């Protein structure tokens, strides 16, 4: 490690993580390419865990931000009315909500996904007067105590060092195999007054579990979950933080599925350029917050409003971008399916949020290391980090996408061969 | 309300708050001045609740950001090594830690103060294997469930809609009057094995309670609290989110007091320009996190690293800024003391974090409204919002500071007269 | 209601319950017969919810108690050594533990089943350093807060009026139908580090769920649960409060199943005569209690020791009683099976703890009311109180047993006919 | 240890405690005298921790029980109407409630004090819809999880091995010295919306803290606590389990103080003969339980009803017994005051619930050991077990009382001398 990265060893907490997988000092980035301080370029198949769906430093978003900063646009205004916020809200209403016939209020929470989830769970409990929230196996919703209770990951849960309450756990789609309908199980438990499942304030679900292993719920399963929520008087919350903003095709991950969530949480790619921004979308009838009841200093990140609006206008004003995503996703699926079949592995995920289940955390780690040696940044997910997860920018040029997938293909083949030999 | 602000009424959640006190659309800001969309200027005595200690859009910070964005500097890199992060850490080590002989590791948490507090409390519980944390009356530490348990404010606590656990409450300095030493009480309770106070993982305290009413703890009281923490095996945590970054004079609010906190939380003005950034500073021996055990997508806000480093270099490389703050604080105290004495009120707070206790939330609100009519943005704090709180930029020019205080003086006099007459 | 029962209306809390189903004033009882104040006799198929397995006022137990009281035997001795306690312990060791090659320590808890469960859960958490306990759908373990968290019944849970923590819920044998092996589900969840199921301190289970609907777990299922507990480092607790003391055939409900629970809770019929007594049996290696760490004023009920010892010596010194129970159980099963088949209903339970699933709480209630009119005391169980539950004294004479079952048969037929007609 | 006590070593859990202080095998008892198996007699100044206020095996109570058992009176009837229960209720109404103009409903809980407390706290939360209960430093209310949360003792709390929630802690009368009015502190905290004290469901208090160190609250302090409860919408609960039933003079410990608790818990001496019995007395307007919402198998201990009624009729039908208690208490106070003054110690407690503060757990233990050698059973209490506590039967003959106090006096003098010499 050179002199500069030694600063991190000396001063940064041991909690740092991605810098361990990718131990280079990065300097600048453009589109799907990141450069380290020595000028070497890397293709980014991680995209800030889906926070950079439009790639790094999109020229239009970047210019909008520079213009705003240059003209002394308000950077920090608490939750006061600002021009930047108004334009974002108006664009969100016009471009996202109205065309989809969605009637939601926007709550600006502290600019982290976890904070949006905390707000959602608090509000659901306030609205219903109930305390328990149903969350799913392998779900990930953040690591602050309220959100962490809903998160399945044991390492993160252990970090709390106290018991986490207020959440009942249900099995995600397919958790017990294809033959078992886990919605029937949940309905049975909630319908049985003696099951030990308290009447829930909410059911919170990701349509595709990004951290939990690219488990994609079927539309039918999601519709049944919504039906169960309604039947039992619970709010239906979709956590769209990782799967939303185009990652699975539409702006929301559940478009076209016939779902009407009571609450939707969004963050990650919402600002378009990776700036911290999070919102909780509420059906108006649930908007019973008193002023500042859930607050936070950075709950109006005006720079993020500027880039978020620019992203909405550039990418979502018509259907061109969604078509482009669909094309990329089809290509991705074709490539991954080939890799999976060649190596006897299985495909996971949906849209531009797919990966390969290697069956082993060690194998997956080895593949990612091999990719990084060859200039590709890619990470794992799943209970045992056994899924190699492709989260390329949605805007990645086809040639670069293909080259990155070539790199992945080579790494999968060589590492899985190696792995099989070692196992024999 | 005009057409544009009606967007907020239509689309933004009822949880919005400051926009209710200051119902104008703001557009740009520079130094201590904010402009609304009609070009009217306001002096800012709120400063993003102490997030804008260096004023709005400081020219050097702004230019550093523009340069960084222009050259495609990485905006979002998860917690990977970046040049911007390295430079921030190196500057923090060189300018802040080393001259103060402080040995701390920096943990980048999700970029909200609440998230930094959540990390602090989790770590204290991990380190000690204990669950209970002592927090103080009128303390404010954020509204996510872990931090909210430590927060005193009943409205915020009620927002959780479930019981909050893991925190024992102690009385802040002076809570029961000047004659009662609340540290003796706490020591008694923690020393008594039958008191019902469990051995604590940590004691978390603000040196000046910003939201709780500008209650300033004496150095002696804080030293005794630290001594009690050590005596009972608890970590000593200073939440310096609102009082730090120069607000009370030094970079940390506790400088020169002979304190050695185990953990320090910082956010608000840390980025210098109001961009979301939060850190938890840890004594190295407590840095037992496993990688990613506490994580979060936006835990490395590179734009904020750029402006934060620029702010450290501009304001804290020598002692000039601290002297300037001291001068402003002395002037503020002189002016507020005069107002308080004239109106039979009392002074609260410390440094550039002072205010006047009007004894009534209604009176304080009326004063703030009158100020706003006269072009001054100022807010309240305290259990009943009865404190009018001056949080001017630390960099405010003396003439503008004086004019703002003139406005406040007029409002206090007229409103308190009005109030007294109404009460008779 | 006559003058005397009006005392209850005036002075006793609304929480009273069985007196609503059986609104007579009872006076004395002998064997399987209870007499009301007018001298009318009732056959008791409720047996104090299995607290009177040896019938009311067994002559030998009663005489032992009278002798003890007459000679000023110690009634209350806290947990001091007394002759009565020594004789009970010695008899328990000689008659129960040693012949079964069971090595357990006896903890005398407060004399309620709930208290024995509280002790068991506390100890499991102490031993393992873990907080979560796995309990099952429809389980009943008591209504004090620690035990109540493990209890499934929603009405009882609601009585807490605060969220109940520290328990994860799993599905009992057959809960999702005969085709789904719920042990595989539990093992999957506990093996998956990201499932959201924390590593458990214990798994607590009833072999037959008395309150939950006479659900009888198969020996195979119970063995798998024990295996899962061992695999995941959890203690295996059998709550034998209702099913033990001969109710299902042997002294313990799990005899001959090849199980070695770490902790066993007992109460109800343990004293033999219905006197309050509860114990928690611990494997010696788990007996890490410090003196008085779990205490309680009545934790040594010496009168109960006297009758409990007499019961052990009378009923369990040889195998005659177990044979008698088996004979009664076979007869019960034959009679209930006939009733079930005749009426298109199903049989539930095991041993002398069987009943008929009427499919409807109203039907079951009607049957019990009809029985009571005809001099038979019998109650319901199950999520919807839909199971008519036969809990006759194990010692009931065959003729009285047959007559009681005749009464039940008549009631089932007439009420189910009535019910079917009403439903058509 | 002889062969018989070795049974305990072999088979009883390490949790046993009093048998460690008094390692003899006891056999029978009468009045204030206990006999061991070798026929040696001991005077009992422990009285089952106040469960034997009328002495051991009172002849009338004992005879009533023998008669009841002999005539096959119902021993166990769940909560059905029985003659024994009716007579107890009627006597309680006639002898206790009506003459004191008290209007309460009687809830029969599981027959432990902890269970009565659990019921009280659950009901207070149900009635108010609030979750937090205020309990006091050094309070003892039982060790099941709900009651344990209200108990101050750290060893007992630690036994839970999980965090205990739902209770806020306040300081008992005199906790911070005679000069500090702890009711003002509590009122301040509950009146301050930002104190971190949630609006309480109840305030639960013992008038004399039996386990906590014989701290006796003044009537004024108790009245202020009741006033605070009313002011803040909380129920006022008196836990009279140890101090009630004559121990401090009247049937209730708070008689003549002008208090009207919403809920009163009773157990210990209620049955008169040490048999398990506990009740929760409720103001009728709070009796919102649904049937069986709080239940328990032994919630109607009919043997205890018989002896409890006999005790009420024998001791409380007129004022003679109260006068006798007053006489004994005056004598006790005179003797203890002399011992305290002679040895430079202080007196604690009230009525027949007084003791001497030795200032050291070791000294107090040595005194108790010395007493036991001389045939006196006496125990300690307090945060450090530093109080030697006299809990003689209220019925103890004066000569035996005097002889026991002589023994104590000798032990105090010799041990305190020894202690002082050792300390020099």
């Amino acid at each position: 490690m050179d002199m500069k990265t030694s600063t991190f060893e000396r001063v940064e907490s041991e909690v740092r993580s991605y810098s361990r997988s990718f131990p280079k000092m990065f300097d600048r980035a453009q589109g799907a390419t990141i450069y380290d301080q020595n000028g070497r370029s890397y293709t980014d198949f991680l995209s800030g865990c889906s926070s950079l769906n439009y790639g790094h430093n999109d020229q239009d978003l970047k210019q909008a931000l520079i213009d705003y900063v240059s003209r002394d646009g308000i950077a920090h205004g608490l939750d006061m009315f600002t021009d930047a916020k108004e334009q974002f809200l108006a664009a969100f209403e016009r471009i996202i909500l109205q065309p989809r016939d969605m009637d939601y209020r926007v709550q600006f929470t502290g600019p982290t996904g976890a904070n949006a989830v905390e707000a959602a769970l608090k509000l659901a409990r306030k609205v219903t007067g109930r305390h328990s929230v149903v969350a799913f196996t392998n779900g990930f919703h953040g690591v602050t105590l309220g959100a962490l209770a809903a998160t399945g990951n044991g390492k993160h849960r252990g970090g709390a060092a106290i018991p986490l309450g207020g959440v009942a756990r249900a099995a995600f789609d397919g958790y017990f195999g294809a033959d078992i309908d886990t919605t029937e199980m949940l309905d049975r438990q909630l319908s049985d007054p003696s099951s030990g499942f308290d009447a829930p304030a909410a059911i919170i679900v990701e349509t595709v579990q990004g951290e939990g292993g690219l488990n994609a719920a079927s539309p039918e399963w999601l519709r049944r979950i919504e039906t169960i929520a309604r039947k039992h008087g619970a709010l239906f919350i979709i956590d769209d933080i990782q799967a939303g903003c185009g990652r699975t095709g539409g702006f929301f991950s559940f478009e076209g599925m016939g779902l009407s969530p009571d609450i939707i949480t969004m963050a990650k790619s919402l600002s378009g350029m990776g700036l911290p921004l999070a919102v909780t979308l509420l059906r108006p009838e649930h908007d019973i917050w008193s002023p500042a009841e859930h607050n936070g200093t950075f709950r109006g990140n005006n720079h993020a409003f500027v880039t978020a609006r620019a992203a909405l206008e550039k990418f979502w004003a018509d259907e061109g971008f969604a078509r482009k995503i669909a094309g990329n996703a089809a290509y991705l699926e074709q490539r991954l399916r080939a890799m999976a079949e060649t190596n006897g592995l299985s495909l996971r995920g949906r849209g531009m949020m797919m990966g390969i289940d290697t069956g082993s955390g060690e194998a997956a780690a080895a593949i990612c290391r091999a990719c990084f040696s060859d200039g590709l940044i890619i990470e794992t997910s799943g209970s045992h980090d056994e899924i190699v997860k492709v989260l390329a920018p949605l805007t990645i040029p086809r040639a670069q996408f293909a080259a990155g997938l070539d790199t992945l293909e080579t790494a999968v083949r060589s590492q899985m061969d190696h792995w099989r030999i070692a196992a024999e």
Side-chain angles (χ1 to χ4, degrees), chain A residues 203 225-236 260-262 286:
Chain A
I203 303 179
I225 292 294
E226 177 169 347
T227 301
I228 290 169
R230 306 259 173 264
K231 174 178 171 187
H232 298 286
L235 301 201
F236 178 53
S260 300
D262 294 284
H286 301 318

Side-chain angles (χ1 to χ4, degrees), chain A residues 123-132 199-202 233-235 288:
Chain A
L123 187 66
R125 288 170 173 137
K126 268 178 69 79
V127 165
T128 60
R130 300 171 175 182
H131 59 85
S132 181
L235 301 201
I288 62 169

